[in-house]
């Protein structure tokens, strides 16, 4: 059986399904990846499906989802503990700055580079990265108090190199924990998509205040026309490119234009901003799944 495009079943994907092709390049039988400045072209079937999905979740339910966002993520980690996400070793392949950075900050000799990871979860990115680059000092925050506690309970957690704390980027001030303008690098990996679009600019400004001049945000998240976006059934659409999963967590799918506008409005300049197309092929099952991500770098200039 030859590989073919995966069908578009009518249901709401869970986070497990969204992440199946994002957490590890090794989970699939085969894959290839390329970048582009243009969105993935949809088939006629896909276009028709999106055009039919024009009824939004009620305002009452949307408000409830916003109010219960922290609870829904905390319940996610209660169900899955530390066993859900794969360690994100791929991050150093996509962003060489994280491992190729000098051992000391060139602007402040004797001071190690400082990383902020927002949406740290239970540490699937931060712990492998700290091993790959022993010079990093890391601040790590997450919306879920339970996730932060799991991270602190990890045997590799050391307060000498890592400070973990709970934070809602849309309301809490990062500089209440982190001294203003002291962060060299920020990782935002599948984080901003979980935030309501109306609150994204505030969240990015919050990060801007913690970054030093010349600091860089390394970004990867879901892109518009991703396979996960097309699997949502009717009744799960919150707004254009914004959907709710069956567990109450939400997912936004970015265009390059929208992502760039969020960061420039928050005071950043764009270094790079592109779609990443990853075609995951499972030869055994005979299916081909087109994943779309956005990958970008943004800098805080003076």
């Amino acid at each position: 059986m030859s590989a073919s495009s995966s069908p578009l079943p009518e249901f709401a994907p869970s986070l497990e399904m969204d992440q199946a092709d994002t957490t590890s390049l090794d989970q699939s039988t085969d894959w290839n990846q390329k970048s582009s400045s243009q969105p993935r072209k949809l088939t006629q079937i896909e276009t028709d499906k999106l055009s039919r999905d024009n009824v939004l979740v009620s305002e009452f339910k949307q408000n409830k989802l916003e109010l219960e966002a922290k609870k829904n993520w905390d319940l996610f980690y209660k169900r899955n503990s530390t066993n859900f996400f794969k360690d994100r070793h791929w991050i150093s392949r996509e962003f060489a700055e994280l491992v190729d950075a000098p051992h000391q900050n060139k602007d402040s000799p004797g001071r190690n580079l400082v990383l902020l990871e927002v949406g740290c979860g239970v540490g699937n990115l931060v712990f492998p990265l700290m091993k790959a680059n022993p010079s990093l000092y890391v601040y790590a925050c997450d919306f879920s108090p339970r996730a932060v506690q799991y991270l602190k309970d990890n045997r590799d957690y050391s307060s000498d190199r890592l400070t973990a704390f709970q934070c809602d980027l849309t309301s809490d001030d990062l500089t209440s924990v982190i001294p203003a303008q002291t962060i060299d690098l920020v990782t935002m990996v599948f984080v901003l998509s979980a935030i309501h679009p109306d609150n994204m600019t505030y969240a990015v400004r919050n990060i801007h205040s913690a970054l030093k001049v010349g600091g860089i945000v390394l970004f990867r998240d879901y892109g518009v026309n991703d396979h996960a976006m097309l699997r949502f059934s009717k009744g799960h659409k919150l707004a254009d490119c914004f959907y709710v999963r069956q567990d109450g967590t939400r997912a936004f799918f970015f265009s390059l234009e929208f992502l760039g506008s969020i960061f420039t409005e928050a005071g950043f300049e764009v270094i790079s901003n592109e779609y990443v197309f990853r075609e995951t092929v499972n030869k055994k099952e005979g299916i081909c799944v087109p994943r779309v991500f956005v990958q970008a770098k943004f800098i805080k200039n003076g």
Side-chain angles (χ1 to χ4, degrees), residues 82 87-89 91 115 117 120-134 136 138 140 147-159 161-164:
T82 60
D87 282 349
R88 288 169 166 165
H89 296 283
I91 191 70
L115 170 74
E117 187 193 0
C120 62
V122 300
N124 296 101
L125 186 151
V126 67
F127 288 124
L129 188 57
M130 289 171 66
K131 290 179 181 178
N133 188 345
L136 284 178
V138 181
V148 173
Q149 190 57 53
Y150 281 139
L151 186 149
K152 288 183 174 181
D153 290 341
N154 190 298
R155 65 182 180 181
D156 290 329
Y157 184 86
S158 170
S159 59
R161 294 192 59 204
L162 173 60
T163 298

Side-chain angles (χ1 to χ4, degrees), residues 1-6 279-283 285-289:
M1 184 177 181
S2 60
S4 59
S5 295
S6 180
E279 190 175 74
T280 304
V281 180
N282 187 317
K283 294 177 180 177
E285 300 295 330
I287 59 173
C288 173
V289 177

Side-chain angles (χ1 to χ4, degrees), residues 3 24 50 58 101 110 114 142 150 155 170 181 213 225 248 281 286 288 299:
S24 171
L50 287 181
S58 69
V114 181
D142 198 275
Y150 281 139
R155 65 182 180 181
T170 68
Q181 301 190 61
V213 173
N225 297 344
V281 180
C288 173
I299 189 169

Side-chain angles (χ1 to χ4, degrees), residues 13-14 29 37 40 57 67 86 99 121 144 147 159-160 176 187 189-190 219-220 228 267 271-272 274 281 289 301:
S14 64
T29 303
S37 61
R40 182 175 77 87
V57 170
L67 291 171
K86 301 285 186 181
V99 290
S144 165
S159 59
D160 292 336
S176 67
T187 51
V189 179
F190 301 106
F219 184 96
R220 186 169 171 119
I271 299 175
S272 62
E274 61 187 7
V281 180
V289 177
N301 286 325

Side-chain angles (χ1 to χ4, degrees), residues 86-203:
K86 301 285 186 181
D87 282 349
R88 288 169 166 165
H89 296 283
W90 56 264
I91 191 70
S92 59
R93 294 196 294 268
E94 299 297 329
F95 297 113
E97 296 92 336
L98 293 167
V99 290
D100 292 343
H103 290 294
Q104 293 185 342
N105 188 296
K106 65 182 180 180
D107 298 324
S108 302
R111 184 177 78 85
N112 287 350
L113 286 172
V114 181
L115 170 74
L116 168 62
E117 187 193 0
V118 294
C120 62
V122 300
N124 296 101
L125 186 151
V126 67
F127 288 124
L129 188 57
M130 289 171 66
K131 290 179 181 178
N133 188 345
S135 71
L136 284 178
Y137 185 87
V138 181
Y139 288 95
C141 66
D142 198 275
F143 197 17
S144 165
R146 192 181 302 270
V148 173
Q149 190 57 53
Y150 281 139
L151 186 149
K152 288 183 174 181
D153 290 341
N154 190 298
R155 65 182 180 181
D156 290 329
Y157 184 86
S158 170
S159 59
D160 292 336
R161 294 192 59 204
L162 173 60
T163 298
F165 59 102
Q166 191 276 332
C167 179
D168 180 351
L169 289 174
T170 68
S171 60
D172 299 331
D173 184 358
L174 280 170
T175 59
S176 67
V177 177
I178 304 169
Q181 301 190 61
T182 58
I183 299 296
D184 298 294
L185 296 169
V186 176
T187 51
M188 296 187 73
V189 179
F190 301 106
V191 174
L192 197 61
S193 56
I195 295 175
H196 193 289
D198 292 347
N199 298 326
M200 288 180 182
T201 299
Y202 179 90

Side-chain angles (χ1 to χ4, degrees), residues 259-270 298:
L259 178 63
S261 69
I262 291 292
F263 274 84
T264 53
E265 187 177 344
F268 286 91
E269 293 184 23
V270 179
F298 304 97

